[in-house]
Amino acid sequence: MSSASYTLFLPHFPSPPFPLLPPPSSAAIRLPPPFTPIKLHNSLLRPSASLANNNIVNGAGGNYGGSNGNGGSNGGSNGGDWWRNFFNFDKRKYLHLLPYFSDDIDSILSCKPFLLFLTSFSSSITCCLLLASFVQAKVSNNEETVYEIRGGKRYELVPDYTKDEFVVSNTMWSSLFLHDSESSGFVNNLWMQCKELTKSLLLPEGFPESVTSDYLEYALWRGVQGVAAQISGVLATQAMLYAVGLGKGAIPTAAAVNWVLKDGIGYLSKILLSNYGRHFDVNPKSWRLFADLLENAAFGLEILTPAFPHLFVPIGAVAGAGRSAASLIQAATRSCFYAGFAAQRNFAEVIAKGEAQGMVSKAIGIMLGIALANCTRSSTSLALASFGVVTWIHMFCNLKSYQSIQLRTLNPYRASLVFSEYLLSGLVPSVKEVNDEEPLFPVAILNRKAAYETHTEMLSVHAKQAAEGIVRRLQLGSKLSDVVTSREDVLALFELYKNEGYILTEHEGRFCIVLKESSSPQDMLKSLFHVNYLYWLETNAGIKLSSVANDCRPGGRLQISLEYVEREFNHVKSDGEVAGWVTDSLIARPLPNRIRLNDAAASSVAEG
């Protein structure tokens, strides 16, 4: 059987990166130099009937920028657009290079944005590795480090035992390129310059001494989750545009009205939620995690809008309200975290660098999101599947970032854990141990940890149980009329706590703290230490509650506990400051009830 031959012409110059081959023909197509005819056997090219109808090579003038050809989608004056040709090359003409994998390659390259997605993904991984490479030694090495100051910049030195001297340390990247003395100097200097530039742009000045030890781990996890969040945002925006009808030629004015109406309703949630700002200070980790869940739920609703285009405004309004509420909570809690990171009171710089890191994550996320959106297009099922994977990555990185944060302020739970351990062992636990034990979820089963994570060096099981019980029974800012009813009890409490900013008693199994008008956050912290000692007397000494008047007399439970608190509170405060805690106040959310002792009440106490 005779075999036909096909004459192809390949360009000598390298641009475009994938030269487009002319269609198979029985006769050679004559093109001007510098093209040279090459004959290939037809068994290698695997011609098919559909090949002649390919829109890329249809027409002589299309892909080569000629003005005479009319065929092809890229023909005519646009023939020099090699970037477009990069994603539209005819993959069937190159399968003879890998004959054994031609079917797999054909299925992979059928998605045109595949190469863009692969390029964007590899660039994001490279950025993360570059950021981690020049800081890994600074946080993992606890030994004493020697530095050399040159030109106002600090360079880490490592010992060279062969020469008995200190030399500038080489990174894992520069070691790949350093071979001789001349090239090593140039490459090392170039790497150091890039390293210092990246550090100055993305990390606070004086890092790592200018921030706390948990800053870097938090920043790295937040960077990855920022990329995932931006990908979800791109998918959700594309779905909303399809739902509003812009992809089907809808009237721009009607689409704009629906879009503005959707956002306008969503903004109301941000205004209403601002009234709960104090809640965010008490438990910033839990609220931030809730905000991330709310944001992902809003993204999911927006992706579903193409399936229900007639419900665009109500679905978009609910999703917009969720995103607005999430952005408010994220902005409020972010300030709490950054304030804790500023070891040298450099709040503004830590915030500025955090915003710069966020912009890098957003830029990478937008690139990956656009590539993924080109693959999913108007398919709701593909968009939801991609969104599910990205959401899992997003929430996992969020959880790891919040677990890495070490809050040094005292809320009711952290303060109760510190005070309970102090009463049991006489020692103040470290900041990291207490933060590792603080629950992030309101449901106890979600806060369970693996067996290798439950071991702590200092915290006892009894201290954890005491903290949980105290927080459950605590009522800060109680009304005096709800706690005591008899005049004798009121006068006894006034007399016992006349020099304090609070009044503490137990009522119906709850520890009720009545705050005076002049009470300060320091008084609230002292009252919580008082509550912990009352709980200790109840569980360890077996001293139970009697009448309020009897407990206020000498030898009574309230009188004994107050005497101990006045003696030991300053000691536990100083020990807590040594351990790294901020002991000047209690971050709490008390009820808005206060009492004022006027002159008549004071005289009644004196007469009693």
Side-chain angles (χ1 to χ4, degrees):
M1 182 176 61
S2 61
S3 59
S5 298
Y6 298 93
T7 304
L8 301 180
F9 296 92
L10 299 179
H12 290 298
F13 48 84
S15 178
F18 289 98
L20 303 179
L21 302 180
S25 174
S26 58
I29 300 175
R30 299 302 177 183
L31 294 176
F35 294 89
T36 304
I38 298 177
K39 290 188 176 182
L40 298 177
H41 198 271
N42 63 343
S43 62
L44 296 178
L45 293 179
R46 300 179 183 176
S48 61
S50 62
L51 189 58
N53 298 325
N54 187 279
N55 60 359
I56 297 177
V57 298
N58 185 17
N63 290 315
Y64 290 96
S67 60
N68 297 326
N70 296 323
S73 60
N74 294 329
S77 59
N78 294 330
D81 192 358
W82 68 269
W83 173 255
R84 186 186 308 170
N85 295 337
F86 179 80
F87 292 104
N88 290 278
F89 67 93
D90 192 351
K91 54 187 173 296
R92 286 170 293 186
K93 296 181 179 179
Y94 298 92
L95 297 182
H96 67 278
L97 300 177
L98 296 173
Y100 297 103
F101 305 97
S102 58
D103 296 335
D104 297 335
I105 295 176
D106 185 75
S107 61
I108 292 174
L109 296 181
S110 60
C111 181
K112 293 181 179 180
F114 174 75
L115 294 178
L116 176 60
F117 178 82
L118 184 62
T119 304
S120 303
F121 180 77
S122 60
S123 63
S124 64
I125 296 298
T126 303
C127 291
C128 295
L129 291 176
L130 286 174
L131 179 62
S133 63
F134 68 85
V135 295
Q136 58 182 352
K138 296 180 179 297
V139 296
S140 61
N141 187 10
N142 295 326
E143 299 178 357
E144 185 176 357
T145 308
V146 180
Y147 295 96
E148 179 185 15
I149 307 298
R150 275 189 274 163
K153 298 181 179 179
R154 187 176 60 178
Y155 300 91
E156 182 179 349
L157 300 179
V158 295
D160 186 352
Y161 298 104
T162 60
K163 300 179 181 179
D164 194 20
E165 62 181 8
F166 283 91
V167 295
V168 177
S169 62
N170 290 328
T171 63
M172 64 178 179
W173 301 100
S174 60
S175 61
L176 298 177
F177 303 100
L178 302 183
H179 301 289
D180 51 68
S181 58
E182 295 181 0
S183 61
S184 64
F186 171 76
V187 175
N188 190 37
N189 182 63
L190 179 61
W191 168 252
M192 294 298 295
Q193 292 295 331
C194 296
K195 176 180 174 180
E196 291 299 327
L197 178 62
T198 307
K199 180 178 177 181
S200 62
L201 291 176
L202 299 180
L203 294 175
E205 183 179 354
F207 176 88
E209 287 79 10
S210 60
V211 292
T212 55
S213 59
D214 54 333
Y215 174 79
L216 180 63
E217 184 179 358
Y218 169 81
L220 292 176
W221 283 115
R222 292 301 295 175
V224 179
Q225 75 83 30
V227 174
Q230 203 62 32
I231 294 175
S232 298
V234 172
L235 294 176
T237 302
Q238 176 183 253
M240 296 286 284
L241 291 174
Y242 277 116
V244 81
L246 292 182
K248 301 178 180 179
I251 301 175
T253 303
V257 170
N258 287 338
W259 198 275
V260 172
L261 182 62
K262 179 253 317 173
D263 286 344
I265 298 175
Y267 290 154
L268 294 177
S269 65
K270 184 177 289 188
I271 299 174
L272 298 176
L273 194 62
S274 63
N275 191 38
Y276 297 90
R278 188 61 177 174
H279 295 65
F280 309 147
D281 289 324
V282 181
N283 297 302
K285 295 182 183 179
S286 300
W287 277 103
R288 185 60 177 272
L289 193 62
F290 169 75
D292 295 326
L293 289 171
L294 191 62
E295 183 181 41
N296 285 319
F299 284 146
L301 286 176
E302 291 178 347
I303 293 176
L304 284 174
T305 50
F308 309 97
H310 58 288
L311 299 176
F312 173 81
V313 173
I315 294 178
V318 173
R323 291 183 65 176
S324 298
S327 65
L328 175 66
I329 299 173
Q330 289 169 352
T333 54
R334 189 184 302 119
S335 301
C336 299
F337 300 152
Y338 285 157
F341 292 143
Q344 298 178 354
R345 318 298 289 181
N346 51 341
F347 303 113
E349 186 178 19
V350 171
I351 293 174
K353 299 303 182 183
E355 294 298 320
Q357 296 166 8
M359 292 302 104
V360 173
S361 299
K362 287 182 178 180
I364 298 174
I366 287 175
M367 290 190 298
L368 296 176
I370 291 174
L372 189 58
N374 284 333
C375 294
T376 60
R377 296 191 181 275
S378 60
S379 175
T380 304
S381 59
L382 285 178
L384 284 175
S386 303
F387 171 73
V389 176
V390 173
T391 299
W392 186 90
I393 297 174
H394 181 225
M395 293 308 302
F396 175 78
C397 294
N398 280 330
L399 185 61
K400 298 299 291 184
S401 66
Y402 303 145
Q403 289 176 347
S404 67
I405 297 175
Q406 300 177 17
L407 296 176
R408 288 155 179 80
T409 55
L410 293 172
N411 65 358
Y413 182 84
R414 291 192 292 271
S416 298
L417 199 54
V418 170
F419 293 152
S420 297
E421 186 60 42
Y422 179 83
L423 293 173
L424 291 171
S425 63
L427 300 174
V428 173
S430 65
V431 174
K432 179 173 175 39
E433 287 182 324
V434 174
N435 277 268
D436 289 344
E437 291 298 328
E438 186 177 16
L440 291 177
F441 301 95
V443 182
I445 191 173
L446 297 178
N447 294 305
R448 288 185 177 180
K449 298 183 179 181
Y452 67 91
E453 296 179 335
T454 56
H455 175 72
T456 57
E457 297 179 357
M458 184 179 298
L459 288 175
S460 61
V461 177
H462 299 290
K464 300 173 189 176
Q465 295 174 350
E468 294 174 358
I470 290 171
V471 171
R472 187 172 57 251
R473 297 170 57 183
L474 180 65
Q475 187 179 68
L476 189 61
S478 303
K479 292 180 65 175
L480 183 62
S481 58
D482 295 338
V483 176
V484 291
T485 55
S486 66
R487 184 175 183 273
E488 181 184 7
D489 292 342
V490 171
L491 294 178
L493 290 173
F494 283 173
E495 174 63 24
L496 180 64
Y497 295 102
K498 60 183 177 181
N499 296 324
E500 305 296 333
Y502 66 92
I503 294 175
L504 171 62
T505 186
E506 190 173 348
H507 178 69
E508 295 181 354
R510 300 181 67 89
F511 296 110
C512 300
I513 300 176
V514 181
L515 298 176
K516 297 182 180 180
E517 191 178 33
S518 59
S519 64
S520 63
Q522 183 74 204
D523 294 323
M524 288 191 288
L525 184 62
K526 185 176 182 179
S527 67
L528 190 58
F529 182 60
H530 195 168
V531 170
N532 276 264
Y533 189 67
L534 277 181
Y535 186 88
W536 186 89
L537 290 176
E538 177 184 314
T539 56
N540 295 277
I543 302 178
K544 301 296 183 179
L545 173 70
S546 62
S547 64
V548 174
N550 291 332
D551 285 341
C552 293
R553 294 190 178 96
R557 193 168 73 132
L558 292 178
Q559 190 275 333
I560 294 175
S561 60
L562 180 60
E563 182 180 353
Y564 176 84
V565 168
E566 291 177 344
R567 184 175 67 252
E568 291 294 329
F569 181 64
N570 289 332
H571 293 165
V572 67
K573 270 187 59 180
S574 60
D575 291 348
E577 291 175 357
V578 172
W581 294 104
V582 178
T583 59
D584 57 352
S585 63
L586 177 69
I587 308 298
R589 190 180 69 253
L591 298 174
N593 302 313
R594 300 292 186 274
I595 62 171
R596 177 192 298 177
L597 293 178
N598 53 25
D599 297 337
S603 61
S604 298
V605 172
E607 291 175 1

